[in-house]
Amino acid sequence: MSLRKCSLRYLLGWFAVDIVSTIPWDIIGYTQEGEDASYWQILRLLRLLRLLKMAKLVRVVESSKLLVRVEVFFCVKYALLRIFLLVVGALFVAHWVACLFYFFAFVQIGIPGVVTWIDDLADASNNFEFYVASLYFSVYTITTIGYGDVTPNTTIERVYTTIIML
């Protein structure tokens, strides 16, 4: 494929996703003053567009019979390999759900009169403890246990939780 064809294909395909997802929305949000600053930080979610490339990568890996090669090379049964991939996939999804749950609460912290789940969590004092709490929330939300000790308080948190439960 020629350089010109390759460039044109990229411009018509992934270029828009790459350009929008690399704009430093958080820096733009920090330069803004007032209540509009937190809304600029929500635009950081556009970076998640890069995950679309992950879907393409998964399709390529599945079509390349990679699992068969790993099974033969390591002498692992196919069922064990599938279970391992299921667990890794579940952990990956739980991590992203936890990160977004924390993100939606974090961008609302500076808004007057808004109490998020972060404000209700009295025993957490650093980011690791907040991550563990949000990961705990994501795991029990995904598995539909729902203890209720970490709960969404704001409308944005509730909408996000509803989408995750669907």
Side-chain angles (χ1 to χ4, degrees), residues 20-21 41-42 51 53 64 132 155-156:
V20 169
S21 63
Q41 290 181 355
I42 292 175
L51 291 177
K53 286 188 174 185
S64 70
V132 169
T155 303
I156 293 174

Side-chain angles (χ1 to χ4, degrees), residues 5 24 26 28 30 46 49 52 55 61 72 123 144 152-153 158:
K5 265 187 170 180
D26 50 344
I28 294 171
Y30 289 132
L46 292 175
L49 289 174
L52 294 174
V61 168
V72 170
D123 58 346
T144 66
N153 293 340
R158 289 184 189 119

Side-chain angles (χ1 to χ4, degrees), residues 98 117 121 126-138 150:
W117 69 268
L121 201 62
N126 58 30
N127 283 337
F128 178 74
E129 291 176 356
F130 288 129
Y131 174 74
V132 169
S134 60
L135 184 65
Y136 168 72
F137 167 81
S138 71
V150 178

Side-chain angles (χ1 to χ4, degrees), residues 87-124:
V87 169
V88 168
L91 290 174
F92 184 74
V93 168
H95 167 75
W96 279 105
V97 168
C99 288
L100 286 174
F101 186 63
Y102 177 77
F103 173 78
F104 285 126
F106 182 76
V107 296
Q108 298 178 76
I109 286 177
I111 301 173
V114 174
V115 178
T116 66
W117 69 268
I118 293 175
D119 299 323
D120 284 348
L121 201 62
D123 58 346

